[in-house]
């Protein structure tokens, strides 16, 4: 049975939990709606499923509560922050907003962040830029985590290394959210805990044999997630991972060359304002043409038309706002102890209203 919840009620609930855990209104009021947004868009491993782990990190001090990032360098169009292990969702949202403001002034702006806590779903940040007519790129990695082997190897070195790109159009934006690996730590962890298999041979065991069993990641020695392209064409994902780690760790100045001392993500954000390049009209003319051509392409499977990245997520969000947010099984159960601890009532399942 599917459980749906009012989006505003979920946001108020999560905001209350974060405030009770010690975050100020700005941080709690930024993080909660973005986690709900991830569930609205169908990214169920990176939405409210992260709320309970974040609350635990706030409680044990591995996620810092107070203050802001330390500005290490600022040249106007380029800045570097030390995130001080503050909530990554808040840091990333703040960085995107600042980069948009600066791109309006300089044409393009980039912010690199070191030692950010977990930043959740990259896709939810994209429209903070595209709604202002800007194009945005966001990448992230965590040098303290290793679960993806370099192509041709069997020992984990990289994180899945996500990359997201938001492209404005005259209509709905294009929202690209992918990674240098075939799958994520979140999905493999969920399926392993549920005793389920992956849809394909997306991982390999410690001996280098491709597998659909996420359990190979939890052996000693562990297996690894495969890069995009798998064992045949994984050099593509390998190259992408190297680029992402250079952007997120090299430019931020903190990475795998430093001692691992807990979660400390590297984040890189770039925002470009088309008005500083060819102009908004010229940009839209080109992108709208590409969009129309993509959507008009004859489908390989009759009845299954070509769609744009983010199109399904936007459709799911509209449905969730109208009919309630479908939450993956176990999420509300994981939050119940925190609700009881802080005395904050959980929202009602709409099916029971």
């Amino acid at each position: 049975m599917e459980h749906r919840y009012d989006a505003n009620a979920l946001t108020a609930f999560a905001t209350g939990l974060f405030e009770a855990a010690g975050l100020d209104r700005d941080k709690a009021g930024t993080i909660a709606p973005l986690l709900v947004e991830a569930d609205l868009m169908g990214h169920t491993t990176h939405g409210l499923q992260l709320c309970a782990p974040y609350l635990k990190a706030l409680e044990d001090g591995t996620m810092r509560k107070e203050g802001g990032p330390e500005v290490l360098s600022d040249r106007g169009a380029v800045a570097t922050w030390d995130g001080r292990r503050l909530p990554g969702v808040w840091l990333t949202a703040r960085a995107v907003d600042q980069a948009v403001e600066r791109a309006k002034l300089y044409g393009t702006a980039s912010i690199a962040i070191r030692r950010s806590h977990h930043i959740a779903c990259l896709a939810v940040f994209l429209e903070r830029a595209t709604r202002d007519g800007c194009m945005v790129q966001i990448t992230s990695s965590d040098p303290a985590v290793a679960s993806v082997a370099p192509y041709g190897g069997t020992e984990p070195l990289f994180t899945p290394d996500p990359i997201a790109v938001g492209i404005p159009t005259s209509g709905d934006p294009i929202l690209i959210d992918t990674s240098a690996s075939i799958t994520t730590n979140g999905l493999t962890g969920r399926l392993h805990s549920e005793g389920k298999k992956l849809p394909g041979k997306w991982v390999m065991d410690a001996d280098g044999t491709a597998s659909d069993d996420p359990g190979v990641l939890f052996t000693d020695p562990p297996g690894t997630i495969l890069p995009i392209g798998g064992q045949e064409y994984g050099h593509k994902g390998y190259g992408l991972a190297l680029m992402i780690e250079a952007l997120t760790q090299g430019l931020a100045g903190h990475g795998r060359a430093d001692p691992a001392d807990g979660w400390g993500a590297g984040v890189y954000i770039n925002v470009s304002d088309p008005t500083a390049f060819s102009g908004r009209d010229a940009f839209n003319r080109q992108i709208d043409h590409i969009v129309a051509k993509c959507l008009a392409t004859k489908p390989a499977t009759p009845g299954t038309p070509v769609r744009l990245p983010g199109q399904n997520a936007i459709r799911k969000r509209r449905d969730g706002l109208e009919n309630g947010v479908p939450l993956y099984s176990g999420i509300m159960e994981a939050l119940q102890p925190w609700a009881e601890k802080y005395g904050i009532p959980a929202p009602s399942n709409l099916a029971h209203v």
Side-chain angles (χ1 to χ4, degrees):
M1 177 180 175
E2 185 177 75
H3 296 278
R4 286 180 175 256
Y5 299 83
D6 178 77
N8 291 329
L10 283 178
T11 298
F13 174 55
T15 301
L17 290 174
F18 285 128
E19 286 187 315
L23 289 181
D24 60 42
R25 175 58 62 95
D26 178 45
K27 293 184 179 72
T30 298
I31 299 167
L34 289 171
L35 292 184
V36 173
E37 178 82 355
D39 284 302
L40 278 166
M41 297 175 79
H43 299 287
T44 62
T45 58
H46 285 65
L48 283 176
Q49 178 159 316
L50 295 170
C51 188
Y54 286 2
L55 292 168
K56 184 178 184 302
L58 289 167
E59 184 178 66
D60 65 24
T62 54
M63 181 188 288
R64 297 186 67 169
K65 304 174 183 178
E66 299 175 351
E70 178 186 356
V71 178
L72 302 175
S73 173
D74 193 338
R75 297 190 183 182
V78 176
T80 304
W81 297 353
D82 185 334
R84 301 176 48 247
R85 305 195 196 285
L86 287 160
V89 177
W90 175 75
L91 283 169
T92 303
R94 180 173 174 174
V96 171
D97 292 347
Q98 266 203 37
V100 169
E101 291 179 8
R102 295 179 183 217
K104 295 288 186 180
L105 178 62
Y106 299 108
T108 186
S110 300
I111 297 178
I113 309 173
R114 67 170 73 168
R115 298 200 311 154
S116 164
H117 208 282
H118 194 267
I119 73 170
C121 174
L122 274 63
V124 303
F125 303 106
L126 300 178
E127 288 177 279
R128 301 179 84 90
T130 61
R131 68 189 175 207
D132 281 327
C134 291
M135 182 172 170
V136 58
Q137 304 168 59
I138 306 172
T139 60
S140 178
S141 66
D142 181 21
V145 175
S147 56
V148 182
Y151 181 65
T154 62
E155 297 176 352
L157 174 61
F158 303 119
T159 38
D161 289 354
I163 179 170
V165 181
I167 306 171
T169 75
S170 294
D172 289 332
I174 301 168
L175 305 175
I176 303 165
D177 187 350
T178 185
S179 66
S181 63
I182 297 179
T183 187
T184 65
N185 291 323
L187 182 61
T188 53
R190 171 186 283 177
L191 294 180
H192 175 61
S193 68
E194 295 176 352
K196 296 179 180 178
K197 302 291 187 180
L198 291 158
K201 293 185 177 183
W202 296 355
V203 295
M204 67 178 176
D205 64 25
D207 294 323
T209 302
S211 174
D212 62 357
D213 180 8
V216 302
L217 302 177
F218 301 90
T219 57
D220 185 19
T224 74
I225 297 172
L226 285 166
I228 283 179
Q231 290 188 317
E232 289 184 309
Y233 305 107
H235 61 282
K236 299 178 183 292
Y238 178 30
L240 186 60
L242 287 167
M243 182 194 79
I244 291 170
E245 301 234 341
L247 291 171
T248 58
Q249 298 174 33
L251 294 184
H254 181 270
R256 300 192 188 279
D258 301 296
D261 54 356
W263 188 276
V267 185
Y268 174 78
I269 294 156
N270 173 265
V271 174
S272 296
D273 181 0
T275 64
F277 292 84
S278 62
R280 181 70 52 76
D281 290 342
F283 181 88
N284 285 348
R285 176 173 169 266
Q286 295 298 330
I287 303 305
D288 289 351
H289 178 81
I290 294 169
V291 166
K293 287 290 188 180
C294 288
L295 297 180
T297 299
K298 179 181 177 181
T301 302
T304 305
V306 173
R307 67 173 189 252
L308 294 169
Q311 188 174 337
N312 197 39
I314 291 171
R315 179 191 62 78
K316 287 181 177 179
R317 180 175 62 198
R318 289 170 178 158
D319 174 72
L321 289 173
E322 181 177 352
N323 301 307
V325 186
L327 285 189
Y328 195 84
S329 176
I331 290 177
M332 289 303 294
E333 290 81 357
L335 289 174
Q336 191 58 41
W338 295 100
E340 294 172 358
K341 176 175 181 174
Y342 293 129
I344 299 175
S348 299
N349 175 5
L350 291 178
H352 297 159
V353 175

